[in-house]
C-alpha cells in the first residue's frame, strides 16, 4: 500500500518562502507522474503543480512563476519550492500521483501565509 508523508509547511509572512517535501513508499515512484495538491478551508482540493517521470512540469496559473516542483527519484521524494507566498496560498498541501490519484492520501502539511 502506498504511503505518502508530507512535511515542510509552516507559518510565513506574505512574500516569504517555504519548501515542501513528500516521501512516497510502496510504489515504483520513478515511473509515476506526481502532483502537489492543496485544499483551502471551504474549497475543493486543487492541483497546483505536476512533474512527469522525465521531469516535465506544469503549474496552475495561480502559482506559475512562484512555485517550482522537482523530484529526486533516488529518494522517492517530490518537492515544492514556494516563493513570494500570498495569503491566498494558505491551505493544506498534499502530494499524490497525477492525473488519477491513489485512494489513500497523506496527512498533508499546513501552509499559512499572513498578510
Amino acid at each position: 500500500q502506498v504511503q505518502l508523508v508530507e512535511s515542510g509547511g509552516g507559518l510565513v509572512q506574505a512574500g516569504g518562502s517555504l519548501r515542501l517535501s513528500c516521501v512516497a513508499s510502496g510504489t515504483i515512484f520513478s515511473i509515476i507522474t506526481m502532483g502537489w495538491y492543496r485544499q483551502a478551508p471551504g474549497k475543493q482540493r486543487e492541483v497546483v503543480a505536476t512533474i512527469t517521470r522525465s521531469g516535465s512540469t506544469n503549474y496552475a496559473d495561480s502559482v506559475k512563476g512562484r512555485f517550482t516542483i522537482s523530484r529526486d527519484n533516488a529518494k522517492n521524494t517530490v518537492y515544492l519550492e514556494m516563493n513570494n507566498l500570498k495569503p491566498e496560498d494558505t491551505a493544506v498541501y498534499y502530494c499524490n500521483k497525477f492525473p488519477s490519484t491513489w485512494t489513500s492520501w497523506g496527512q498533508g502539511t499546513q501552509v499559512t501565509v499572513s498578510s
Side-chain angles (χ1 to χ4, degrees):
Q1 184 173 349
V2 173
Q3 286 192 317
L4 302 165
V5 180
E6 301 93 348
S7 62
L11 172 63
V12 295
Q13 291 187 329
S17 299
L18 285 172
R19 189 192 194 208
L20 307 184
S21 300
C22 168
V23 180
S25 59
T27 184
I28 306 175
F29 179 82
S30 62
I31 65 172
I32 293 171
T33 294
M34 291 294 294
W36 278 98
Y37 301 75
R38 68 185 180 187
Q39 187 166 22
K43 295 188 177 181
Q44 288 190 335
R45 189 173 292 166
E46 61 174 350
V47 59
V48 296
T50 62
I51 185 167
T52 67
R53 62 181 180 178
S54 61
S56 296
T57 58
N58 273 293
Y59 300 91
D61 288 343
S62 59
V63 307
K64 203 170 292 184
R66 301 188 297 121
F67 290 12
T68 302
I69 188 172
S70 60
R71 67 192 296 162
D72 185 338
N73 289 335
K75 296 182 178 180
N76 280 16
T77 302
V78 60
Y79 304 97
L80 188 68
E81 184 79 32
M82 307 186 294
N83 298 311
N84 190 22
L85 283 160
K86 303 177 179 181
E88 51 264 43
D89 295 317
T90 295
V92 180
Y93 285 72
Y94 304 86
C95 69
N96 209 308
K97 69 181 180 74
F98 179 87
S100 59
T101 63
W102 289 299
T103 302
S104 61
W105 292 76
Q107 82 289 350
T109 187
Q110 176 71 49
V111 172
T112 304
V113 185
S114 63
S115 56

